[in-house]
Amino acid sequence: MKVITTHLSADFDAFAAAVCAVRLFPEHRVLFPGSQEIAVRRFLGAVDLDIPEIRLREARRERWEHAVVVDTRTPSRLGEAWQLIRRDGCLITLIDHHAGEEEALGAAESHCLEVGATCTVLQRLFEERGIEPTPEEASLMLMGIYEDTGGLSFRETSPEDLRAAARLVEQGGSLEWVRRWVLKGLEPEQFELLNRLVEGTREFMVNGTPVAIASVEVDHYHEEAAYVVHRWVETFDLPLGVALLVQPPNINIILRSRIPGLHVGQVAQRFGGGGHPTAASARVAGVTEVEVRERLLAALAEEMPPAVTAGDIALSKIFTLPSFFTVEQAKERMNHLRVNALPVEDSVAGKLVGTVTRQILDQAVSHGLGDRLVTTVMLPEVPTVGSDTPLETLRDRFLETPCRFVIVEEGGCPLGIITRMELFRRLFEHQHLAGASLDNRIRSSRHLTQSVTGLLREVAPAWVQRVLELARDVAGRRGEPVYLVGGVVRDLILRRPNEDVDLVVEGDGIGFARDLAGVTGGSCHPHEPFMTAVVILPEGLRIDVASARTEFYRTPAALPEVETSLIRQDLYRRDFTINALAVALSGDRFGTLVDFFGGRKDLERREIRVLHSLSFIDDPTRAIRAVRYARRLDFAIAADTRHLIATALREGVFDRLSGQRLRHELQLLLAEAHPAAALELLAELGLLEAIVTGLGWSNELAGYLLELEGITKWFEVEGLGSLPDAWILYLEGAILDLGVRGAETLARRLALSGAAFERFTAVPGEVAGLLGQVAGSERRSGLVRAVEAAQTVSVLLAMARLELGPRRRLADALERSVRQELPVRGADLVKLGIPQGPWIGAALEATRDALLDGEVGEEDAVELARTCALRLHKEMAR
């Protein structure tokens, strides 16, 4: 069998090339290994074409002799067709226009041109072989050329594409088909996607070039998303637009570029995709939106044409003032050259020795120094930069210093000169051409930086505001940027109270903490190994200070190791995007929200999202933390984060988590309000089963734990004693039906030992005993003694298990055990002549039982105790 095939999701260029190639290879049949794009399918639904097509299921049964591959040279884009080609080892003929990409098919014959569309290559082959296309074939190829060249407007459109299009029109190609099926307007669903792209756009600078990245969560596959992205880039005149369509666990990446020298197809190849220099796509799975964005920015930084440097724009001709010139001569030369500043050159040594400006010369003349040598009034220094200095660095140099020009050097020798005016002309020209429209049109969609000074004044307590202002002063003196970071920033935006002040310093955090302690009158307590310190204010309030750090994990589930870094890296090591926010506190940036990873957007979405796909592999406790924040803030856990939790569970990383760390995280989780709901979410995510093997979740268990919450509130309101630790209470409640063996298994998993292990494993037996006592005992005194013999956690668990009547009896016994006081004490009996001895305690206990059971009143208690003590004394003395 002989086959013509193309890539998955064939567009008009691929479809038309495959269909029309049959004229070049008449014995071949056309195989589409995947479905065509929706625009092609709509076309096929309206136009009746006779295509010698073979279905994949039939092609699997045939032996392949020859394969013509059109519009791709990447094996993975052929899907199962590539597997069949390899299976039969057939010869390959390639017809393609991606000449800049690596040819990975091993084609025996290749027809490739560096043009805008594969149909242009096909039209050339028709001409060379003297084949006249039918009007239908000419129309198909015309549509393919128009689609892949953006209506003959893309950068890679070549004169050959224009000639091919003109020839095809001459041969009967239908421009009506092009207008109707290729150059079409947007459907309502496409308009909605376009609006969401605009709303989700953020701008990044890569090698001095603005890059627009739009992240959009979708609930289904948008087949014509590439066309919408093209219209987005075109409408807003973007130099480079990247759309991330997030449908967990998948993220579709679509790239469109108008930047000369950038091949976005090569960027897409890093993600398993491909494409042209100006248009490309890829699909990834199992990674977070944040991680894809970070990888994209890193790839673009490598693939982007090098940033323009000082050496690129320097004027090679350096005009100078000879050192033997007088002030008047220097001024005349400067006027002649129409410049405002020039370097002074030593006429003998041939070296630049100083700088002079028109203002300096004017002032010298006004002071009667016109006949003096220019060297007497010059500034004795020459501003220089290396030839590889980026224009942005040069811009900062001009903005921060009064120099009018810089001499560009290479190897210590002058290479040229750059004036302030020339630099700003270049920069603003670049801004206008590459990104001015982006700057204006998507300003409302940016969330990278934003002032929250008003929020600080409105929400933060007065003492926090005072500390932050002092931190700004300290940062200014030390020349080190400092940031407010962590949960306090998150809660500031949510307008929630939070007085946990965490500061991160890009520099010496401990040194900063010492200086801050000095200006606040507090004390500094450093922890050198972790580059952190705590400042305790005179009123006892606490401030945590740390150097900006990055961390790495030598093994999964291990504790992290840290090293110094910048604020971006420090925030990237954090658990969730909403906790990776910072507020700049230094200089003019005071009160500016810094958001590298979309945390503000996730706060608006009310979602918990990790920053990278290995987050739970590195630290499995983050999964429990996700549940804690979700329940505390009433947020949802993002779909991609749920997928990554499931992946971590399958990898078994929780098995490697130490009992101490697991116990600590559960303590924090179950100390939050509504621990029953927290456990339910743990179960929903599969985490509860990972913690307690064999524990299943049910509506009955959920109801029981909710009852337990109510019982706990009652216990607290009634003031019946100290509440047991919530983590013990609710974990014991969850595993109660697993009995002693379940308690022992969980206690070992949590690394409990000694008395703590004994107490934990005793609970199921104590609960069973209490339930039996309530069911079998008619006497209040016996029930009270059973309550007093058990741990409080066991009593509460037993109460939650009982119906209303028996629960009231157990509650009454608990209250009596706390509040029932004997009107007689041992000392009273001694005063009544009873000798000291064990009979006194036994008599008091018997008296208390009688009171509890209503056999005597309080007025008769003393006499009963005395009589009972005398009797017991006599019996014991025999």
Side-chain angles (χ1 to χ4, degrees):
M1 184 185 71
K2 299 176 182 179
V3 174
I4 300 171
T5 189
T6 186
H7 54 76
L8 305 167
S9 300
D11 56 10
F12 273 115
D13 191 35
F15 172 78
V19 171
C20 295
V22 174
R23 291 289 302 280
L24 300 174
F25 302 92
E27 298 179 0
H28 291 58
R29 299 170 70 184
V30 179
L31 170 69
F32 295 106
S35 65
Q36 299 93 354
E37 286 189 351
I38 190 170
V40 178
R41 298 206 304 273
R42 286 174 181 162
F43 167 75
L44 290 174
V47 177
D48 186 22
L49 289 180
D50 184 18
I51 303 172
E53 186 177 358
I54 183 172
R55 299 294 181 180
L56 193 57
R57 62 177 176 271
E58 183 182 350
R60 293 189 191 107
R61 297 194 295 266
E62 301 286 342
R63 177 172 179 77
W64 291 28
E65 300 174 21
H66 181 233
V68 178
V69 177
V70 299
D71 202 40
T72 185
R73 53 185 57 205
T74 304
S76 62
R77 299 192 71 198
L78 292 171
E80 190 177 344
W82 175 246
Q83 299 173 21
L84 297 174
I85 289 171
R86 293 187 64 190
R87 180 195 69 184
D88 296 334
C90 67
L91 292 176
I92 298 173
T93 296
L94 174 64
I95 303 176
D96 186 36
H97 75 111
H98 302 95
E101 295 182 16
E102 178 187 358
E103 200 277 277
L105 301 175
E109 181 184 4
S110 182
H111 303 279
C112 297
L113 295 174
E114 196 163 341
V115 292
T118 296
C119 282
T120 299
V121 181
L122 205 68
Q123 192 275 334
R124 166 80 74 85
L125 291 173
F126 270 55
E127 292 278 346
E128 291 174 350
R129 301 186 185 186
I131 300 174
E132 182 76 13
T134 65
E136 190 176 76
E137 290 167 341
S139 300
L140 287 174
M141 287 190 278
L142 192 63
M143 286 196 295
I145 293 172
Y146 264 81
E147 181 186 61
D148 252 30
T149 62
L152 302 173
S153 67
F154 286 170
R155 188 180 76 239
E156 63 264 30
T157 303
S158 68
E160 188 71 26
D161 296 301
L162 296 171
R163 283 191 289 268
R167 182 69 178 129
L168 289 167
V169 172
E170 291 175 353
Q171 293 170 329
S174 171
L175 288 172
E176 169 61 21
W177 276 16
V178 172
R179 183 197 63 76
R180 182 178 179 187
W181 302 109
V182 179
L183 304 180
K184 57 189 182 302
L186 293 178
E187 302 288 336
E189 184 182 27
Q190 294 171 322
F191 267 117
E192 181 186 354
L193 180 58
L194 177 60
N195 288 331
R196 294 180 66 195
L197 286 172
V198 175
E199 293 172 359
T201 300
R202 291 176 60 189
E203 180 191 345
F204 301 85
M205 295 299 292
V206 179
N207 289 1
T209 301
V211 175
I213 299 182
S215 298
V216 176
E217 289 195 359
V218 296
D219 56 10
H220 66 280
Y221 178 64
H222 287 260
E223 294 194 83
E224 290 191 284
Y227 179 64
V228 178
V229 173
H230 166 68
R231 292 293 297 271
W232 167 58
V233 170
E234 184 180 68
T235 301
F236 295 108
D237 196 26
L238 306 177
L240 174 59
V242 182
L244 304 181
L245 304 184
V246 183
Q247 186 184 6
N250 298 317
I251 298 179
N252 288 318
I253 307 168
I254 303 172
L255 303 99
R256 293 293 183 270
S257 168
R258 297 185 296 143
I259 300 173
L262 174 64
H263 195 307
V264 292
Q266 294 174 355
V267 175
Q269 283 179 353
R270 300 186 180 210
F271 296 85
H276 314 301
T278 58
S281 63
R283 174 183 287 190
V284 294
V287 291
T288 67
E289 172 191 331
V290 170
E291 189 172 14
V292 170
R293 187 167 64 239
E294 291 299 303
R295 286 174 56 193
L296 262 172
L297 291 173
L300 287 170
E302 294 181 18
E303 298 287 346
M304 192 77 75
V308 180
T309 63
D312 296 324
I313 69 169
L315 301 172
S316 59
K317 177 64 176 176
I318 303 176
F319 292 99
T320 64
L321 296 171
S323 57
F324 56 79
F325 266 28
T326 65
V327 169
E328 285 285 3
Q329 290 173 319
K331 183 177 178 182
E332 183 180 350
R333 179 169 172 76
M334 205 172 282
N335 287 335
H336 175 72
L337 295 172
R338 296 184 179 182
V339 296
N340 292 314
L342 281 175
V344 178
E345 182 179 14
D346 186 320
S347 308
V348 178
K351 294 171 56 178
L352 301 180
V353 293
T355 304
V356 71
T357 66
R358 184 191 298 272
Q359 288 83 354
I360 291 174
L361 295 177
D362 287 341
Q363 192 173 7
V365 170
S366 69
H367 285 289
L369 303 176
D371 59 349
R372 303 291 177 87
L373 290 176
V374 71
T375 53
T376 61
V377 298
M378 72 179 185
L379 299 170
E381 56 185 32
V382 180
T384 62
V385 296
S387 61
D388 58 351
T389 303
L391 296 194
E392 286 72 26
T393 303
L394 201 53
R395 174 201 61 198
D396 295 342
R397 172 83 174 266
F398 278 124
L399 291 175
E400 294 167 3
T401 65
C403 64
R404 301 294 185 86
F405 64 84
V406 294
I407 300 298
V408 180
E409 293 185 335
E410 189 168 79
C413 298
L415 179 71
I417 187 171
I418 300 175
T419 65
R420 177 195 294 259
M421 186 62 68
E422 174 63 17
L423 173 69
F424 287 168
R425 186 188 70 78
R426 290 292 188 113
L427 285 176
F428 285 121
E429 178 184 55
H430 184 262
Q431 172 80 4
H432 174 71
L433 293 176
S437 59
L438 172 68
D439 212 32
N440 294 328
R441 294 176 185 269
I442 68 173
R443 190 181 308 278
S444 62
S445 298
R446 292 186 192 165
H447 296 290
L448 183 60
T449 58
Q450 174 185 350
S451 176
V452 291
T453 308
L455 266 179
L456 283 171
R457 287 196 297 266
E458 181 182 344
V459 178
W463 77 268
V464 172
Q465 297 183 45
R466 179 174 62 86
V467 165
L468 298 185
E469 289 168 358
L470 290 173
R472 174 178 59 186
D473 296 341
V474 173
R477 288 196 296 273
R478 293 178 60 88
E480 294 174 328
V482 63
Y483 301 85
L484 178 70
V485 301
V488 66
V489 180
R490 174 200 69 223
D491 289 343
L492 176 72
I493 296 170
L494 294 175
R495 299 175 181 271
R496 292 169 55 92
N498 190 330
E499 298 188 24
D500 294 333
V501 179
D502 291 313
L503 303 181
V504 166
V505 181
E506 284 186 342
D508 181 6
I510 292 177
F512 182 94
R514 291 194 176 104
D515 288 356
L516 184 61
V519 299
T520 58
S523 58
C524 177
H525 306 273
H527 190 47
E528 302 278 356
F530 287 93
M531 298 175 283
T532 62
V534 176
V535 176
I536 303 297
L537 302 182
E539 54 267 49
L541 299 168
R542 171 189 175 120
I543 305 164
D544 290 296
V545 182
S547 295
R549 299 167 291 166
T550 187
E551 63 185 25
F552 60 94
Y553 295 78
R554 293 197 180 274
T555 60
L559 288 170
E561 299 182 31
V562 297
E563 60 187 21
T564 56
S565 70
L566 300 178
I567 186 64
R568 183 187 180 94
Q569 286 73 34
D570 185 277
L571 296 175
Y572 189 60
R573 72 185 177 84
R574 294 172 187 266
D575 47 15
F576 308 109
T577 58
I578 62 170
N579 292 335
L581 298 164
V583 175
L585 303 178
S586 304
D588 294 339
R589 298 189 67 208
F590 183 88
T592 299
L593 178 70
V594 179
D595 178 12
F596 293 109
F597 309 112
R600 180 66 185 266
K601 197 66 159 179
D602 282 333
L603 286 175
E604 293 173 1
R605 294 169 176 158
R606 302 183 68 80
E607 287 187 331
I608 308 296
R609 190 185 313 277
V610 289
L611 279 82
H612 61 89
S613 60
L614 295 181
S615 184
F616 299 121
I617 301 295
D618 286 343
D619 184 1
T621 63
R622 286 175 177 160
I624 301 173
R625 224 172 300 155
V627 173
R628 170 153 54 99
Y629 287 123
R631 286 299 178 236
R632 179 194 297 178
L633 303 174
D634 193 24
F635 278 23
I637 296 178
D640 55 3
T641 300
R642 284 174 171 262
H643 173 74
L644 293 172
I645 291 174
T647 300
L649 285 168
R650 288 194 297 271
E651 292 295 323
V653 295
F654 284 89
D655 298 338
R656 299 190 287 271
L657 185 62
S658 73
Q660 291 87 342
R661 293 189 67 205
L662 176 59
R663 184 173 73 243
H664 174 70
E665 208 60 50
L666 289 172
Q667 287 171 346
L668 295 175
L669 171 67
L670 297 176
E672 299 276 340
H674 309 301
L679 286 172
E680 183 170 14
L681 184 51
L682 280 181
E684 181 183 324
L685 295 170
L687 294 167
L688 200 56
E689 168 70 21
I691 296 168
V692 187
T693 304
L695 178 58
W697 191 260
S698 63
N699 292 335
E700 291 75 15
L701 179 55
Y704 171 63
L705 293 177
L706 285 174
E707 288 287 346
L708 186 58
E709 283 190 15
I711 296 295
T712 305
K713 291 293 184 187
W714 166 81
F715 181 87
E716 187 177 17
V717 168
E718 291 296 325
L720 297 176
S722 300
L723 278 172
D725 290 336
W727 70 274
I728 296 177
L729 179 63
Y730 287 94
L731 286 180
E732 291 276 19
I735 65 166
L736 197 57
D737 286 339
L738 299 181
V740 175
R741 181 170 296 179
E744 290 175 346
T745 300
L746 181 55
R748 282 191 287 269
R749 180 67 188 92
L750 299 178
L752 297 179
S753 60
F757 181 91
E758 297 299 329
R759 288 193 299 271
F760 194 90
T761 55
V763 168
E766 292 178 355
V767 172
L770 286 167
L771 295 176
Q773 191 76 22
V774 172
S777 174
E778 295 295 329
R779 298 176 67 84
R780 177 186 287 163
S781 58
L783 199 51
V784 169
R785 280 199 299 274
V787 165
E788 292 174 339
Q791 301 173 74
T792 303
V793 63
S794 303
V795 178
L796 297 178
L797 290 170
M799 287 181 64
R801 272 290 171 93
L802 293 168
E803 298 295 333
L804 188 58
R807 181 185 297 174
R808 284 176 175 168
R809 290 190 59 213
L810 191 54
D812 173 72
L814 179 57
E815 289 188 78
R816 295 282 182 167
S817 73
V818 174
R819 296 178 177 152
Q820 181 74 61
E821 294 185 4
L822 268 175
V824 57
R825 295 176 300 169
D828 298 328
L829 296 180
V830 171
K831 288 180 182 178
L832 292 174
I834 307 298
Q836 291 186 354
W839 42 83
I840 290 181
L844 291 175
E845 186 175 338
T847 302
R848 183 171 180 253
D849 286 351
L851 280 170
L852 288 170
D853 294 333
E855 295 173 352
V856 295
E858 290 192 0
E859 66 279 3
D860 300 321
V862 174
E863 180 57 28
L864 176 61
R866 187 187 70 81
T867 303
C868 186
L870 284 173
R871 177 174 57 78
L872 292 172
H873 175 239
K874 291 178 182 177
E875 292 175 358
M876 292 181 184
R878 292 175 184 169

